[in-house]
Amino acid sequence: MQTSVKSLIITLAVASPALAEDFDAAALLDAARSEPPLFVIDSTGKVREQAANFGEAYGLEINATKSKAPATIRMIVGEAQANNVQADVIVISDTPAATAQILEPGYAVSYLPSTRADEIPEHSQNPLIVSNSPIVFTYNTALNDGCPVDNIWALTTAGWNGHFAMQDLLGKPVYTDWFNQMATHHDDAVAAAYESYFGTPLETDYDSATEAWVAALAGNQPVLFNSDSDSSETVGAPDVTENFMGMMSTAKFRDNEDGYTLGICDTMQPAIGWMTPKFLLITAGTDSPNAAKLYVDYLLSEEGWLPQSIDGKVPTNITHAAPEGEPSGVMNHMDKMWFYDSTTALADWQTRQDWQDFWALARSGS
């Protein structure tokens, strides 16, 4: 039975998003009761709350752990190669690395319940993306009457030298992925933003408008940190008197409950930020395929995803309502966000080192 289920899942992963079976929750639950306890992994501590809710809803035993993407990938690859698969479901945010190191070798696969096919946009179905996390241009609402800039090229000018906070992309590859996505899918918009801001068309020796912007931003000496918490503190802490802007996850807007004054630059051109996706995958060698399918379906439900929606992680399920209490208000500005295009995920993976080298050279003035 396990072999046939695995074969079915793999077929769904490599074929078109059209589904080969009907999702029957009752039948899956009946079969899941005889399977080993489910083990799920996610990069957020909220996975424990979600797993507990799932276990209570279905009467199934489930274990959950928080793990960052590099550690998760090492675990999945090691278990698969040793033929000793322990993890059953993984939710992973480093989609380029997951594509190259887990999906391509067949260590994990994508599964979409048939009953969710009309709820998940086709571009997020295969591989299945469960959510997108917004990363946005941010300013201090106490020091400014609205965002102090409305164009990304303003951040490359002398007025913002040393006054833009962000994570160090040498340790946060999501930024190199963002640069490659910009160059691949939005370069014309970056060039148009230059002309809008400076009044003349962009003339550059770089290969793209994105490269020109990245080089100018790096050369303007942004303040680099190891976490969004540091960026949040620099931009919007209660005792801040010096004006900084930043780039950070909307999850940090929860700090406003503690007196921080963070606001989204909702007028920024050509985009106010970008979305980082999370894959929802089942390991190819799972001993609990039926429980795994139920868990995938549960995370796609409004109830199942709610603990992460409150953090500003936007579900791909279009039927979900915006969660009450989400502090950033990003759901009101989704038309101004850039969404990740997973069709070029491998290219994002393959160019990470190139972008890191490019950034380092530009920052040093070489």
Side-chain angles (χ1 to χ4, degrees):
M1 181 176 180
Q2 180 180 338
T3 300
S4 63
V5 170
K6 186 193 300 185
S7 299
L8 173 61
I9 295 174
I10 292 174
T11 298
L12 292 177
V14 300
S16 70
L19 300 178
E21 68 170 12
D22 292 330
F23 180 81
D24 186 334
L28 289 173
L29 179 57
D30 186 59
R33 291 194 175 103
S34 62
E35 293 176 342
L38 196 67
F39 179 34
V40 300
I41 301 174
D42 198 342
S43 58
T44 172
K46 293 295 180 68
V47 66
R48 299 184 183 93
E49 180 181 352
Q50 289 173 299
N53 292 344
F54 169 82
E56 182 177 350
Y58 284 96
L60 295 174
E61 187 175 350
I62 180 171
N63 300 303
T65 190
K66 174 183 177 181
S67 173
K68 293 186 177 181
T72 299
I73 290 172
R74 287 194 299 270
M75 180 188 305
I76 300 305
V77 171
E79 289 180 357
Q81 292 178 343
N83 196 27
N84 183 29
V85 174
Q86 302 297 314
D88 302 299
V89 179
I90 56 174
V91 187
I92 189 165
S93 56
D94 192 338
T95 50
T99 299
Q101 297 179 298
I102 296 179
L103 282 169
E104 287 288 306
Y107 300 146
V109 292
S110 181
Y111 168 75
L112 175 66
S114 59
T115 50
R116 302 290 182 186
D118 293 334
E119 300 176 356
I120 309 297
E122 187 170 335
H123 60 75
S124 295
Q125 289 188 7
N126 191 27
L128 179 60
I129 295 173
V130 65
S131 73
N132 290 284
S133 297
I135 297 179
V136 296
F137 291 102
T138 306
Y139 73 103
N140 188 314
T141 59
L143 299 180
N144 301 276
D145 183 16
C147 187
V149 303
D150 61 5
N151 192 301
I152 63 172
W153 286 95
L155 300 173
T156 70
T157 62
W160 292 98
N161 183 279
H163 282 72
F164 182 69
M166 59 183 284
Q167 286 202 51
D168 187 350
L169 62 83
L170 299 184
K172 187 71 172 180
V174 67
Y175 283 87
T176 67
D177 300 340
W178 173 43
F179 294 159
N180 203 60
Q181 288 273 314
M182 288 174 66
T184 305
H185 303 290
H186 306 289
D187 203 61
D188 289 347
V190 177
Y194 178 95
E195 185 170 0
S196 174
Y197 185 76
F198 291 108
T200 58
L202 174 65
E203 296 182 4
T204 179
D205 293 330
Y206 291 110
D207 292 336
S208 66
T210 299
E211 283 191 8
W213 180 76
V214 170
L217 181 68
N220 215 30
Q221 301 304 309
V223 184
L224 304 181
F225 295 109
N226 292 324
S227 73
D228 278 352
S229 295
D230 292 328
S231 296
S232 170
E233 183 175 358
T234 299
V235 174
D239 58 349
V240 166
T241 57
E242 192 172 358
N243 209 14
F244 282 82
M245 282 188 58
M247 175 65 75
M248 68 193 71
S249 167
T250 55
K252 301 314 299 179
F253 282 60
R254 290 174 300 179
D255 294 340
N256 287 350
E257 298 175 358
D258 299 320
Y260 282 56
T261 50
L262 301 172
I264 294 178
C265 287
D266 57 15
T267 58
M268 186 72 83
Q269 296 294 325
I272 67 171
W274 78 97
M275 307 294 275
T276 60
K278 271 192 170 186
F279 280 161
L280 175 54
L281 306 172
I282 297 176
T283 57
T286 176
D287 289 328
S288 304
N290 296 289
K293 288 183 176 184
L294 285 174
Y295 189 76
V296 167
D297 181 70
Y298 181 73
L299 286 196
L300 294 176
S301 72
E302 189 163 6
E303 174 190 356
W305 193 252
L306 182 60
Q308 293 200 45
S309 285
I310 293 174
D311 284 346
K313 296 179 176 65
V314 181
T316 55
N317 191 323
I318 60 175
T319 68
H320 290 197
E324 293 185 13
E326 194 284 309
S328 74
V330 69
M331 293 294 289
N332 298 320
H333 307 289
M334 297 309 293
D335 59 328
K336 304 173 187 175
M337 297 288 294
W338 278 338
F339 283 77
Y340 188 84
D341 189 333
S342 61
T343 63
T344 56
L346 280 177
D348 298 338
W349 169 256
Q350 293 163 351
T351 59
R352 279 184 173 179
Q353 188 63 55
D354 295 335
W355 281 110
Q356 288 178 337
D357 292 344
F358 182 85
W359 174 268
L361 288 173
R363 186 166 168 79
S364 67
S366 301

